[in-house]
Amino acid sequence: MAERSTAAVDVADNSGEQPLTAAAGKATTDGAAADKQVSTHKKSERAESESPARDAQSPELHSGHKLARRYRLEECVTRLEGFSSWRAVDEKLRRAVGVHLLPADHPRARPVLAAARSAALLGDPRFVQVLDAVEENDLVYVVHEWLPDATELTPVLASGPLEPHEAYQLVNQVSQAMAAAHREGLAHLRLNPGSVLRTGTGQYRIRGLAVMAALRGISSEHPQRTDTEAIGALLYAALTQRWPYESNAHGLSGLPKGVGLIAPDQVRAGVHRGLSELAMRALVNDGATASRQEKPCTTPEELAKAVAAMPRIRPPESAYSAPPAYSRPSVPRNGGPVHPLPVAPPPPLQSRTGRALKWSVSALLIAALGLGSWQLADTLLKDGEKDTPRSQSSGDDTPGRPTNKPITITNAAEYAPDHVPQDKDPVQRTYDNNSKTYWRTASFKDGPSIVRYKGGIGIVYDLGSKQQVSAATVDLRYPGDHTEASLYAVDSLSPSGPVSGMQKLSSGTTTMKTLKLTLQKPVETQYVLLWITALPFSPYDSQTFSSAGYKQAINEVKFIG
């Protein structure tokens, strides 16, 4: 596992007992107040709320204690209901990890072990990964990732509602992830703003799959409906900064008492209508808003399909602001503060030596201009001779011939005609001149060709204005049999219609980490689509958090004129 593959998981109940350390990192609390606030139909129950687990004592361990001579406990984050959660260090791999601890005779020890091992088998990078689940020396402990660079959704929502694009990304990524988990028979049952993390790259990762519910003794007769309603509540909160029930929870105010569940666009002005209706379809509302009687989404799979059917919401255009003018700082002799001062232009040369220098420079300039004019006239006269070799070769720089000059990419956007974008990383990473950054696809079970079930995966590049394109180079992360891609000239950054109706420029296949696409004849266009139709098989990649499968990641794309 790479060094950045570290995550925090904590299951503190913010509605009751508080974690011992409130500031144990950016992503260290669970925000489990949702235990008090469930749906009006009460889909989720704490099965053992009256069991001896309430009175059980968590193991008496201390900072510095080692588990399996490897995991050194550093800081206790939570201690309640007979278990404790810690920030720890994996001394073998030299990385931070999280650890849940409870005695082997705890009434929930067996369910926790079973849940952790099942979650570990999923191996989906959209979830915080379980790294180990062990029973040893009368202890049961679960080791999981720790993500110091991720932020809980709780403080994100506390600062204000999300922009429509961010809310769209939230419901899209979370619903797809939970649909994949339920296909493997795994439920969360405690999805709330404290169990969803947002990474620095804008990805959402879910922590505590199955394990959080097992630690707290939560069960549900309809787990898919419970998780779907929870995703609806997350979207509702993201759109309105309000919790969609009467009680306050997760630092958010609830709805006014007695008004019932009202649509997000009736709570706050300017809410995206499509997302508002989607939230209502996922929440308990007998299926729909009053304006559009669409079917309810009762499973994460149905919700994911409903999101995919929506027109994609583009990110807002970022306004460019010019950088402030640089002023040279003045450094005081007494070591005081440095104050920027405007730099005055140097005074003109007024001395006798200065005047002589000016006359010398003027003479040199006059001589240079005269020589340049003579050479220019001579060249024009020679070019006028039609039958000379020079006149015959003068067409070398005319349009239609490659110039071998790099073309600057000004913008890019993913192209997904099936309305199921990859959204793994910002596509801008493919032209940031940094070979260490990348944009990646999902991992597919079938391949190498993805045409049969996906069509393809594409990125449209904006070259700023119409440019003469003669070739492209695509630096890839994964070699293998095989990567296949084509170039198409398109009319905009978000073209409509299938690829079959676009102008094909070039295509190629490679088993290496570089794919070169060369046009037979340069074509003038502003927008170019890179359309990938085959992906090599690659094993689990701990640096990109991608599971084994047919996949690819792009480091850099360069166009040549």
Side-chain angles (χ1 to χ4, degrees):
M1 194 75 66
E3 190 65 28
R4 65 180 287 243
S5 175
T6 55
V9 181
D10 179 14
V11 289
D13 188 342
N14 291 343
S15 64
E17 303 91 339
Q18 295 293 331
L20 298 185
T21 304
K26 287 187 179 179
T28 56
T29 60
D30 170 25
D35 278 349
K36 285 189 175 181
Q37 180 57 65
V38 293
S39 73
T40 54
H41 293 277
K42 195 153 182 160
K43 300 292 183 179
S44 179
E45 302 88 13
R46 181 169 300 162
E48 299 189 34
S49 61
E50 303 300 329
S51 72
R54 280 286 187 181
D55 303 320
Q57 295 296 318
S58 56
E60 290 298 330
L61 300 175
H62 55 82
S63 298
H65 181 89
K66 283 188 185 180
L67 301 171
R69 293 183 294 181
R70 175 177 178 174
Y71 304 112
R72 187 181 73 247
L73 303 182
E74 292 284 313
E75 182 180 25
C76 185
V77 179
T78 307
R79 193 190 301 274
L80 52 97
E81 292 198 10
F83 69 84
S84 57
S85 298
W86 294 75
R87 176 175 59 85
V89 174
D90 182 349
E91 294 186 334
K92 182 177 180 180
L93 297 180
R94 298 182 179 179
R95 63 180 180 184
V97 293
V99 177
H100 296 310
L101 275 166
L102 65 167
D105 59 355
H106 193 288
R108 298 175 190 159
R110 298 299 166 194
V112 167
L113 271 178
R117 289 167 178 171
S118 297
L121 290 175
L122 181 63
D124 191 316
R126 292 171 292 192
F127 295 90
V128 172
Q129 299 292 297
V130 173
L131 306 175
D132 211 348
V134 180
E135 180 178 359
E136 180 183 70
N137 297 331
D138 298 327
L139 285 176
V140 167
Y141 57 90
V142 176
V143 183
H144 46 76
E145 291 181 292
W146 183 280
L147 289 176
D149 63 337
T151 305
E152 274 186 14
L153 197 57
T154 305
V156 174
L157 295 180
S159 62
L162 301 185
E163 293 291 334
H165 174 71
E166 278 295 320
Y168 170 85
Q169 291 296 326
L170 170 66
V171 68
N172 184 37
Q173 295 182 34
V174 174
S175 61
Q176 287 191 28
M178 288 309 306
H182 278 281
R183 284 194 293 269
E184 300 299 325
L186 292 170
H188 196 291
L189 307 184
R190 277 181 60 80
L191 270 175
N192 55 55
S195 57
V196 177
L197 309 176
R198 186 170 70 176
T199 67
T201 59
Q203 292 175 280
Y204 290 94
R205 298 188 66 187
I206 302 169
R207 62 184 180 187
L209 177 68
V211 176
M212 279 187 180
L215 280 166
R216 303 310 298 269
I218 295 174
S219 63
S220 174
E221 294 180 0
H222 306 286
Q224 294 210 50
R225 186 68 188 92
T226 298
D227 282 344
T228 306
E229 182 182 343
I231 301 172
L234 288 173
L235 177 58
Y236 195 105
L239 296 172
T240 64
Q241 204 184 9
R242 300 287 292 267
W243 196 238
Y245 306 104
E246 290 186 353
S247 300
N248 301 339
H250 312 292
L252 302 173
S253 300
L255 297 178
K257 293 184 178 181
V259 301
L261 183 61
I262 54 178
D265 56 2
Q266 296 177 14
V267 175
R268 189 176 73 86
V271 171
H272 188 278
R273 180 68 180 276
L275 292 175
S276 175
E277 294 178 351
L278 194 66
M280 297 299 283
R281 292 177 64 188
L283 288 165
V284 174
N285 189 39
D286 294 331
T289 62
S291 59
R292 296 189 56 187
Q293 296 294 327
E294 296 187 3
K295 292 182 179 179
C297 298
T298 58
T299 68
E301 187 82 41
E302 291 177 358
L303 183 58
K305 290 180 179 178
V307 176
M310 290 179 57
R312 190 179 178 195
I313 302 173
R314 297 286 181 182
E317 295 291 337
S318 58
Y320 173 77
S321 58
Y326 172 77
S327 352
R328 186 185 301 275
S330 62
V331 182
R333 295 182 180 179
N334 60 0
V338 176
H339 301 285
L341 293 175
V343 181
L349 298 173
Q350 298 296 342
S351 64
R352 181 179 299 178
T353 304
R355 287 194 296 272
L357 180 59
K358 286 194 293 184
W359 281 110
S360 301
V361 171
S362 300
L364 287 173
L365 287 173
I366 293 171
L369 288 172
L371 179 62
S373 301
W374 176 80
Q375 290 178 335
L376 177 62
D378 181 65
T379 301
L380 291 173
L381 287 173
K382 289 182 179 180
D383 283 348
E385 301 173 5
K386 300 295 182 180
D387 297 328
T388 62
R390 180 181 296 272
S391 66
Q392 293 175 8
S393 63
S394 63
D396 289 347
D397 296 327
T398 57
R401 292 178 177 267
T403 62
N404 294 323
K405 293 181 180 179
I407 300 174
T408 301
I409 300 171
T410 61
N411 201 359
E414 187 178 344
Y415 170 69
D418 62 351
H419 304 293
V420 185
Q422 302 299 288
D423 283 331
K424 295 297 178 184
D425 305 287
V427 293
Q428 284 72 21
R429 292 184 177 186
T430 63
Y431 60 92
D432 60 359
N433 294 319
N434 185 351
S435 60
K436 294 182 179 179
T437 60
Y438 49 79
W439 172 89
R440 64 188 174 92
T441 70
S443 294
F444 298 93
K445 293 182 179 180
D446 298 323
S449 175
I450 59 174
V451 175
R452 175 171 53 85
Y453 57 89
K454 177 68 177 172
I457 295 170
I459 300 177
V460 178
Y461 291 94
D462 182 356
L463 308 182
S465 60
K466 284 194 173 182
Q467 303 285 339
Q468 181 177 285
V469 180
S470 63
T473 301
V474 185
D475 294 333
L476 306 167
R477 181 176 180 85
Y478 304 116
D481 188 14
H482 62 275
T483 301
E484 182 179 62
S486 302
L487 296 180
Y488 291 84
V490 295
D491 56 2
S492 69
L493 199 60
S494 54
S496 59
V499 174
S500 58
M502 301 174 184
Q503 180 185 359
K504 190 172 185 178
L505 306 180
S506 178
S507 61
T509 302
T510 185
T511 59
M512 309 300 287
K513 296 176 74 171
T514 300
L515 175 60
K516 294 184 178 180
L517 301 168
T518 304
L519 282 65
Q520 290 185 353
K521 183 180 179 181
V523 172
E524 193 176 72
T525 180
Q526 179 176 346
Y527 302 98
V528 182
L529 167 64
L530 175 64
W531 185 243
I532 305 171
T533 50
L535 306 170
F537 182 86
S538 187
Y540 173 75
D541 188 339
S542 61
Q543 293 187 0
T544 63
F545 305 110
S546 60
S547 56
Y550 293 92
K551 60 186 178 181
Q552 189 54 272
I554 299 176
N555 290 326
E556 286 293 314
V557 172
K558 294 182 180 179
F559 291 98
I560 304 298

